Amino acid sequence: QVQLQESGPGLVKPSETLSLTCTVSGGSVSSNSYYWSWIRQPPGKGLEWIGDIYYSGSTNHNPSLKSRVIISIDTSKNQFSLKLTSVTAADTAVYYCARDQRPPRGWFDPWGQGTLVTVSS
Amino acid sequence: QSVLTQPPSASGTPGQRITISCSGSSSNIGSNFVYWYQQLPGTAPKLLMYKNNQRPSGVPDRFSGSKSGTSASLAISGLRSEDEADYYCAAWDDSLRGPVFGGGTILTVL
């Protein structure tokens, strides 16, 4: 049973960089069958796809986040990570990591439990 | 504004059948599979339906999905109190080159 777990600071100051890591257990991020994704949910709002990474290191991201997103993968630690630069209060959200099929895409299963990141001084 | 359109709320009484709609366009629902996610209060979303109408192991057959053209629907029959949750539809969007979600539907069991 594949499980994902997010970790990282729960509080980030405005203009700084949000950094989160997703640790995968029961499966391998080196699999060529999946993409590894980040999705967020602002308090009381809906889901927004942030971006994803393939085991090869190839990445995709939501154009709405422009060039603020950096996603990386560490196959030796079976982890993948998210960096979101120049954060503002609008980036306050619960951040989830999830596994996505390759293809078809949009098939997120499983999800991590999520971690709340608050952007505040 | 979400790319996929869902009603913000739905409600029903125990035992009733309800449907939740999800409307998109030719670049997403019209040309790709639809997925549904259930988010119980205070928890992470969970895959409820994949490839339009396929239920993952463990999802009761009270839940069913359908798709027609650029719209999709999730039906829940024999409504139960534990079905109270937020429901989200999702699909890959060929134009945006990424998955898009609906705004979510809050289901209340009266």
Side-chain angles (χ1 to χ4, degrees), chain A residues 39-90:
Chain A
I39 298 162
R40 70 181 181 178
Q41 184 174 34
K45 296 187 178 180
L47 302 167
E48 178 184 36
W49 176 73
I50 298 170
D52 59 38
I53 189 164
Y54 193 49
Y55 80 100
S56 62
S58 171
T59 60
N60 304 284
H61 66 266
N62 192 323
S64 69
L65 294 169
K66 299 182 180 178
S67 57
R68 297 198 295 132
V69 174
I70 303 169
I71 300 176
S72 58
I73 194 164
D74 187 335
T75 56
S76 67
K77 294 183 179 179
N78 219 29
Q79 297 175 333
F80 61 104
S81 298
L82 169 70
K83 291 187 187 301
L84 184 64
T85 63
S86 304
V87 297
T88 69

Side-chain angles (χ1 to χ4, degrees), chain A residues 4-9 18-24 37-38 72-74 77-83 95-97 112 114-115 117:
Chain A
L4 287 72
Q5 177 70 58
E6 305 87 352
S7 60
L18 177 160
S19 296
L20 296 173
T21 295
C22 181
T23 300
V24 179
S37 297
W38 288 99
S72 58
I73 194 164
D74 187 335
K77 294 183 179 179
N78 219 29
Q79 297 175 333
F80 61 104
S81 298
L82 169 70
K83 291 187 187 301
Y95 285 75
Y96 297 100
C97 55
T115 187
V117 178

Side-chain angles (χ1 to χ4, degrees), chain A residues 1-34:
Chain A
Q1 187 83 343
V2 177
Q3 293 184 312
L4 287 72
Q5 177 70 58
E6 305 87 352
S7 60
L11 181 63
V12 181
K13 290 182 168 54
S15 80
E16 295 191 346
T17 296
L18 177 160
S19 296
L20 296 173
T21 295
C22 181
T23 300
V24 179
S25 58
S28 174
V29 298
S30 298
S31 170
N32 64 359
S33 298
Y34 306 105

